[in-house]
């Protein structure tokens, strides 16, 4: 079975450039989450969707970050313009019926380096 | 708000040693508790869970007991292997809202040497 698929796995860009991270959740899952992982702050929830609708984006650090889910099989996280402090591993995760069962299925992450 | 506190790592052990990784939490209501594991270069995956007080979650030789009186969910394994080297995350889900989300601890790295 295909898991959560993220692309790119690695991205190196220069400050000021636009970055787009992509995620394909597991088919049939109705929740999608974007997390950011850094050494300093650990794992932070940025935003999550239910049935393609954003439910809580309070974790999005600032207006430079935006996320969309145009359909049940695709989501993007965009950073424009990017800054060095955005360097992190960004994870997408999906689940069925929210996290009440506790099992989020994570992708392998997108490692972003902003120079 | 909800929070999870884990012991700082790295935890360095020799193979076959006993493992304990401490986790305490703060939450309103009656959360469900989880341990996730992240192997190098991979995403997190669920290791075990417990949904009510005194429940014991177990998987792959790991165990954790939901202790409401001490608000703890410590992870234990009797004999670790080199392949257990990973980062372990404690998490809770309050489930009190219509859409429950997971709150993660900062993670504890475990390094097991042969």
């Amino acid at each position: 079975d295909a898991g959560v698929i993220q692309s790119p796995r690695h991205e190196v860009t220069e400050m000021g450039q636009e970055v787009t991270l992509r995620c394909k959740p597991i088919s049939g899952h109705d929740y999608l989450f974007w997390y950011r992982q850094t050494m300093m702050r650990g794992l932070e929830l940025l935003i999550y969707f239910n049935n393609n609708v954003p439910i809580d984006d309070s974790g999005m650090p600032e207006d430079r970050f935006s996320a969309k889910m145009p359909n049940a099989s695709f989501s993007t996280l965009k950073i424009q313009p990017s800054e060095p402090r955005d360097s992190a591993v960004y994870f997408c995760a999906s689940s069925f019926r929210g996290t009440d069962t506790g099992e989020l299925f994570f992708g392998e992450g997108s490692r972003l380096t902003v120079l | 708000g909800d929070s999870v506190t884990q012991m700082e790592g790295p935890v360095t052990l020799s193979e076959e040693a006993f493992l304990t990784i401490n986790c305490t939490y703060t939450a309103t209501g009656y959360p469900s508790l989880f341990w996730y594991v992240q192997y190098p270069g991979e995403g997190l995956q669920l290791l075990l869970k417990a949904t009510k007080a005194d429940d014991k979650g177990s998987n792959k030789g790991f165990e954790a007991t939901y202790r409401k009186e001490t608000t703890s969910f410590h992870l234990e394994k009797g004999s670790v292997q080199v392949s257990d080297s990973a980062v372990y995350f404690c998490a809770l889900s309050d489930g009190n809202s219509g859409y429950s989300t997971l709150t993660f601890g900062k993670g504890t790295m475990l390094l097991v040497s042969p």
Side-chain angles (χ1 to χ4, degrees):
Chain A
D1 289 343
V4 175
I5 300 172
Q6 291 187 244
S7 65
R9 291 294 312 277
H10 301 274
E11 174 93 5
V12 180
T13 190
E14 292 187 347
M15 183 174 62
Q17 296 298 306
E18 178 179 291
V19 174
T20 299
L21 308 178
R22 298 172 177 80
C23 175
K24 177 179 168 55
I26 292 173
S27 177
H29 282 190
D30 55 350
Y31 281 79
L32 184 139
F33 304 80
W34 282 101
Y35 284 88
R36 178 172 69 176
Q37 184 180 40
T38 60
M39 289 292 291
M40 289 295 294
R41 301 168 72 96
L43 204 60
E44 303 172 279
L45 176 63
L46 300 177
I47 185 172
Y48 73 97
F49 296 82
N50 175 228
N51 291 323
N52 314 335
V53 176
I55 300 301
D56 185 353
D57 65 354
S58 60
M60 296 285 261
E62 48 198 276
D63 292 346
R64 298 184 297 107
F65 286 70
S66 62
K68 294 181 179 180
M69 192 165 186
N71 57 62
S73 59
F74 184 66
S75 177
T76 60
L77 178 67
K78 186 173 293 187
I79 308 172
Q80 166 64 16
S82 58
E83 297 182 3
R85 59 194 168 118
D86 302 330
S87 297
V89 181
Y90 291 82
F91 286 102
C92 176
S94 69
S95 72
F96 182 58
R97 295 200 191 108
T99 59
D100 290 342
T101 64
E103 185 149 23
L104 296 186
F105 293 81
F106 283 78
E108 293 185 320
S110 294
R111 181 176 294 276
L112 172 65
T113 302
V114 183
L115 303 174
Chain B
D2 297 344
S3 67
V4 176
T5 302
Q6 294 181 233
M7 60 189 291
E8 289 196 21
V11 173
T12 304
L13 295 173
S14 298
E15 205 165 25
E16 299 184 1
F18 184 86
L19 168 71
T20 299
I21 299 178
N22 291 337
C23 170
T24 57
Y25 67 89
T26 302
T28 56
Y30 303 96
S32 295
L33 302 173
F34 311 91
W35 278 100
Y36 276 76
V37 59
Q38 183 181 27
Y39 297 104
E42 299 183 9
L44 282 71
Q45 55 186 277
L46 181 65
L47 180 60
L48 54 84
K49 68 180 182 183
T51 56
K52 62 182 186 295
D54 300 324
D55 269 2
K56 177 185 284 187
S58 62
N59 186 25
K60 299 182 181 179
F62 291 89
E63 293 184 339
T65 301
Y66 188 161
R67 301 287 188 198
K68 185 171 180 290
E69 63 276 13
T70 55
T71 61
S72 65
F73 193 54
H74 304 322
L75 182 68
E76 296 181 335
K77 187 175 184 182
S79 175
V80 294
Q81 305 300 312
V82 172
S83 57
D84 293 327
S85 297
V87 181
Y88 292 81
F89 293 87
C90 186
L92 68 82
S93 171
D94 63 13
N96 289 324
S97 63
Y99 302 99
S100 54
T101 61
L102 286 180
T103 299
F104 287 91
K106 289 196 170 182
T108 303
M109 179 178 288
L110 170 65
L111 299 172
V112 181
S113 56

